[in-house]
């Protein structure tokens, strides 16, 4: 056989075949796995540098989930017809894979490590994201890169109240839960969830169901490692010298404690600066070969202080109780001309959210691997450098900003009204003005305020809160403690940022970041209980007293909309040849007209009267004029026997010469000219659909003019009532 090291392993996951193979492709990577789940195929490759990267104090891991549109038989729609920057979905998937695998690498590893999962074929019933996560885990596990895996991941749905592992496309369409759970053999390593107000017990049971399924796949991967796994390479540890560490800690720990003991981030940072300077002044010369490690040692000293206070003394750096939330404040209507605005402040974290309502044509178009082609609710999150007191040019959103925006979007999506109830595209932008932890949850609260202030009839208000974790020396199996509403230092030096958003009824979103290998069921239950109580407090005591329900009226600056349905077969009449009819209507009434294939028509503009007028004209185009009704018409053609007048785009009738005026008319040109605007009455419609109009009747009935002569019944016969059904011809 040409591929001597080619191996294939097969198992079953949620009733579908899962295959992992190696030894055939990408032979120069540290390890390569082709993961196949159903007809979904993802090539997963991992590489690591031979030497550590100089001058870094973190593990340089990059995770890239690459969507190739050939996987679903599409050619990219860009000018160059090739994939460009990753889609938002790809970035979120990269983050979802990164979060459970990163804590399992050695904390002192500084070798560059690259993970690339390339989606090559997509079966809609078999998630490429889950296939990639399992493939990546297997690739790292069999590689020579030091790692304490493997992990596995599954999707969990809730269909008709039943928990479903890796739901199919059809099941996902009706599922009340979109949950991703990653696990090691023993612990839950990552949770990402969106749900339709799921109660805590149901969410916990869904997580545990996913965890149990993951254990089977971890065991499957371990069997592969036993067979073909490489010996892990030795690496140069980045840990500082223990003697230097002990000496510096003894020198500065008391000063560090005093500096950290404040609820003001600015005061804390200022108090730490002279301590850093003193450490460098005293130790730079003595440890000239290790000066770059001094700042890292200072980080470790601070981490030791914060964790010891929390674990041993139940003391927080800002003096709060373990389950006490920072001072809160909420406001609405801060900006004059925006459609809705809300400011949410939690301690020194402050987020201003702005809601904008647009037409349905403003919905975001999506070009990805799944079936979703657009979304009408969009949430963007911005994190400028001034929010943390730093100076840095803005270069657009990074992965973190995209991830936080997506979390807030996921949290609020279940309460957004349907397009039938509220035919608007909705964009919310959360501007982080000041950051000291939990900005993503602040953006959820601020966005709820902004949406209600804008008059969006959300089903229920949503609040978000985070829960932190400190584990003992024995890790998560030993002593642990959790605390509510973690600030920056507690996130930085702690073991967990467990973010939960929801209404009073239930959970709408979860995102969990860990620095340890995983969580036990007891920790998850405690986090749910504490975040549930905290978000209810935020809703009842802070947000709802400011604005108790969505406003009944929209801002005067919001586009006005009129929505109605017509016979889908008549959409073409509204559009016209080459769009001529709809373009004329939009120009005439200064509106935008959106037509849907199912017959839905949406007319939108800044003036509601003009929207209604355009809607009436569309109804006239579709249904024809009503006999006895009056219309404002434009003269389009002059003939010897009368004038043709347009009462709507594509709808034209004849004003016979005898009905042009209240007096006898010798020549049509004596009364009207092409382009004149005249008021007419519809006096009949022939069986062939020809329309008879009368200016004379309009002058008499509307303007009260007296006729100077009697006329014979000259218009075309027979006439019919517009509301009477035409007889069927056999």
């Amino acid at each position: 056989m040409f591929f001597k090291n080619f191996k294939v392993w097969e198992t079953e996951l949620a009733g579908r075949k899962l295959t992992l193979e190696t030894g055939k492709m990408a032979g120069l990577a540290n390890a390569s796995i082709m993961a196949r789940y159903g007809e979904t195929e993802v090539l997963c490759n991992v590489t690591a540098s031979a030497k550590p990267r100089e001058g870094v104090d973190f593990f340089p891991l990059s995770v890239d989930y690459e969507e190739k549109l050939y996987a679903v038989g599409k050619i990219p729609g860009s000018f160059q017809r090739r994939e460009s920057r990753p889609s938002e979905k790809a970035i979120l998937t990269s983050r979802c894979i990164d979060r459970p695998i990163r804590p399992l690498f050695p904390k002192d590893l500084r070798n560059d490590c690259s993970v690339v999962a390339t989606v090559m074929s997509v079966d809609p019933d078999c998630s490429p994201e889950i296939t990639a996560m399992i493939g990546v885990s297997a690739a790292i596990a069999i590689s020579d890169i030091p790692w304490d895996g493997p992990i596995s991941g599954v999707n969990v749905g809730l269909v008709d109240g039943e928990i479903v592992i890796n739901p199919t496309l059809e099941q996902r369409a009706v599922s009340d839960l979109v949950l991703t759970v990653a696990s090691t053999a023993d612990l839950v390593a990552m949770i990402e969830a969106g749900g339709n107000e799921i109660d805590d017990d149901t969410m916990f049971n869904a997580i545990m169901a996913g965890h149990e399924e993951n254990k089977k796949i971890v065991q499957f991967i371990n069997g592969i490692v036993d067979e073909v796994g490489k010996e892990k390479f030795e690496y140069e540890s980045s840990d500082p010298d223990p003697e230097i560490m002990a000496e510096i800690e003894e020198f500065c720990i008391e000063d560090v404690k005093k500096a950290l003991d404040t609820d003001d981030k600015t005061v804390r940072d200022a108090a730490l600066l002279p301590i850093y300077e003193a450490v460098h002044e005293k130790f730079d010369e003595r440890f000239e070969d290790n000066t770059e490690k001094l700042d890292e040692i200072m980080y470790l000293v601070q981490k030791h202080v914060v964790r010891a206070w929390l674990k041993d003394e139940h003391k927080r750096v800002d003096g709060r109780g373990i389950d006490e939330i920072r001072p809160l404040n909420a406001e609405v209507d801060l900006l004059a001309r925006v459609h809705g605005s809300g400011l949410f402040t939690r301690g020194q974290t402050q987020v201003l959210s702005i809601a904008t309502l647009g037409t349905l044509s403003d919905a975001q178009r999506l070009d990805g691997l799944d079936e979703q082609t657009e979304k009408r609710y969009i949430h963007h999150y911005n994190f400028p450098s001034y929010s943390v007191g730093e100076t840095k040019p803005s270069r657009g959103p990074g992965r973190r900003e995209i991830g936080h925006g997506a979390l807030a979007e996921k949290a609020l999506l279940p309460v957004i009204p349907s397009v039938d109830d509220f035919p608007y595209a909705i964009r919310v932008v959360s501007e982080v003005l000041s950051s000291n932890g939990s900005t993503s949850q602040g953006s959820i609260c601020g966005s709820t305020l902004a949406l209600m202030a804008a008059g969006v009839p959300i089903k229920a208000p949503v609040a978000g809160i985070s829960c932190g974790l400190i584990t003992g020396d024995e890790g998560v199996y030993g002593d642990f403690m959790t605390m509510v509403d973690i600030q920056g230092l507690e996130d930085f030096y702690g073991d967990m940022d467990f973010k939960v958003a929801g209404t009073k009824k239930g959970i709408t979103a979860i995102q969990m970041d860990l620095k340890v290998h995983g969580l036990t069921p007891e920790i998850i239950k405690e986090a749910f209980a504490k975040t549930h109580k905290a978000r209810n407090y935020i809703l009842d005591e802070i947000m709802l007293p400011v604005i108790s329900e969505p406003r009944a009226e929209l801002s005067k600056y919001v586009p006005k909309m009129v929505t109605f349905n017509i016979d889908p077969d008549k959409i073409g009449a509204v559009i016209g040849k080459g769009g001529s009819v709809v373009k004329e209507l939009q120009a005439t009434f200064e509106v935008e007209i959106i037509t849907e294939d199912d017959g839905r028509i949406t007319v939108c503009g800044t003036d509601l009267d003009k929207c209604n007028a355009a809607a009436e004209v569309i109804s006239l185009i579709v249904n024809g004029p009503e006999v006895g009704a009056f219309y404002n018409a434009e003269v389009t053609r002059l003939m010897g026997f009368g004038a043709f007048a347009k009462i709507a785009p594509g709808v034209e009738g004849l004003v016979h010469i005898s009905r042009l005026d209240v007096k006898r008319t010798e020549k049509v040109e004596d009364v009207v000219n092409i382009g004149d605007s005249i008021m007419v009455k519809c006096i009949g419609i022939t069986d062939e659909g020809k329309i008879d109009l009368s200016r004379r009747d309009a002058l008499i009935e509307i303007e009260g003019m007296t006729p100077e002569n009697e006329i014979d019944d000259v218009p075309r016969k027979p006439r019919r009532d517009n509301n009477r059904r035409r007889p069927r011809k056999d």
Side-chain angles (χ1 to χ4, degrees), residues 45 47 57 76 79 100 118 120 139 164 266 273 288 329 366 495 707:
N45 294 293
T47 52
D57 58 358
F79 179 77
T118 306
M120 295 184 162
V164 179
T266 304
L273 282 176
E288 57 183 357
N329 185 62
L366 303 175
D495 294 326

Side-chain angles (χ1 to χ4, degrees), residues 91-111:
I91 290 171
L92 297 175
T93 303
S94 298
R95 285 170 52 86
C96 213
I97 295 172
D98 183 302
R99 294 208 306 275
I101 67 172
R102 185 179 290 269
L104 302 179
F105 287 96
K107 289 181 169 50
D108 58 342
L109 181 64
R110 295 295 178 264
N111 299 57

Side-chain angles (χ1 to χ4, degrees), residues 632-636 638 645-646 669 671-678:
N632 191 16
E634 178 187 350
V635 178
T636 57
L638 301 182
K646 180 176 69 175
E669 293 87 344
V671 180
V672 294
N673 292 295
I674 293 176
D676 286 354
S677 179
I678 59 174

Side-chain angles (χ1 to χ4, degrees), residues 517-539:
H517 286 194
L519 303 182
T520 62
E522 292 74 21
I523 296 174
I524 297 171
K525 277 190 173 182
E526 187 168 307
F528 277 168
K530 289 189 174 183
T531 54
H532 188 128
K533 181 180 178 181
R535 74 172 185 267
N536 283 354
Y537 169 80
I538 294 169
L539 287 168

Side-chain angles (χ1 to χ4, degrees), residues 464-483:
I465 193 72
S466 62
C467 180
L469 170 73
I470 297 293
T471 59
D473 293 337
E474 299 178 21
V476 291
Y477 293 106
D479 252 354
F480 72 88
M481 65 157 297
T482 60
M483 73 291 299

Side-chain angles (χ1 to χ4, degrees), residues 503-564:
T503 64
K504 294 190 71 175
K505 181 180 177 182
I507 295 169
T508 57
I510 299 174
Q511 187 178 93
M512 185 181 79
D513 295 327
L514 289 180
K515 297 185 181 71
V516 291
H517 286 194
L519 303 182
T520 62
E522 292 74 21
I523 296 174
I524 297 171
K525 277 190 173 182
E526 187 168 307
F528 277 168
K530 289 189 174 183
T531 54
H532 188 128
K533 181 180 178 181
R535 74 172 185 267
N536 283 354
Y537 169 80
I538 294 169
L539 287 168
D540 289 336
E541 302 298 328
I542 306 300
M543 294 171 60
L544 294 181
V546 173
I547 181 166
S548 60
E549 60 185 15
R551 292 212 168 102
E553 294 185 1
L554 303 178
S555 163
K556 63 182 180 180
Y557 301 113
V558 172
K560 309 303 184 290
M561 294 198 187
V562 176
T563 302
F564 53 97

Side-chain angles (χ1 to χ4, degrees), residues 144-266:
D144 59 346
I145 304 171
W147 192 56
D148 198 12
I151 59 117
S152 174
V154 292
N155 286 333
V156 185
L158 187 67
V159 181
D160 295 329
E162 297 293 326
I163 293 172
V164 179
I165 301 297
N166 284 356
T168 63
L169 177 64
E170 183 179 354
Q171 290 171 325
R172 291 197 298 270
V174 295
S175 178
D176 288 318
L177 175 64
V178 180
L179 168 66
T180 302
V181 181
S183 310
T184 66
D186 304 303
L187 304 169
V188 175
M190 192 276 297
I191 301 169
E192 180 86 18
N196 292 329
E197 300 179 282
I198 307 297
D199 65 83
D200 291 357
D201 289 340
T202 301
M203 184 67 80
F204 177 79
N205 291 336
I207 292 169
M208 289 298 106
H211 179 45
E212 289 303 314
E213 196 69 29
N214 281 330
K215 290 180 181 179
K216 303 173 187 176
I217 303 302
V218 169
Q219 184 177 4
F220 170 62
I221 296 173
N222 276 329
I224 298 173
V225 174
D226 291 341
E227 188 173 342
V228 299
K230 300 177 183 178
E231 184 179 351
K232 301 301 184 182
F233 65 68
E234 298 291 332
Y235 65 93
E236 181 182 338
S237 173
S238 66
D239 282 346
D241 185 291
E243 293 183 6
I244 298 177
M245 174 75 187
E247 190 169 351
I248 292 176
E249 182 173 354
E250 183 181 357
F251 171 75
C252 68
I253 191 167
E254 294 304 321
D255 291 334
V256 168
K257 287 180 179 179
K258 292 177 183 177
L260 293 178
D261 198 6
T262 176
D263 62 353
D264 192 317
K265 180 178 183 292
T266 304

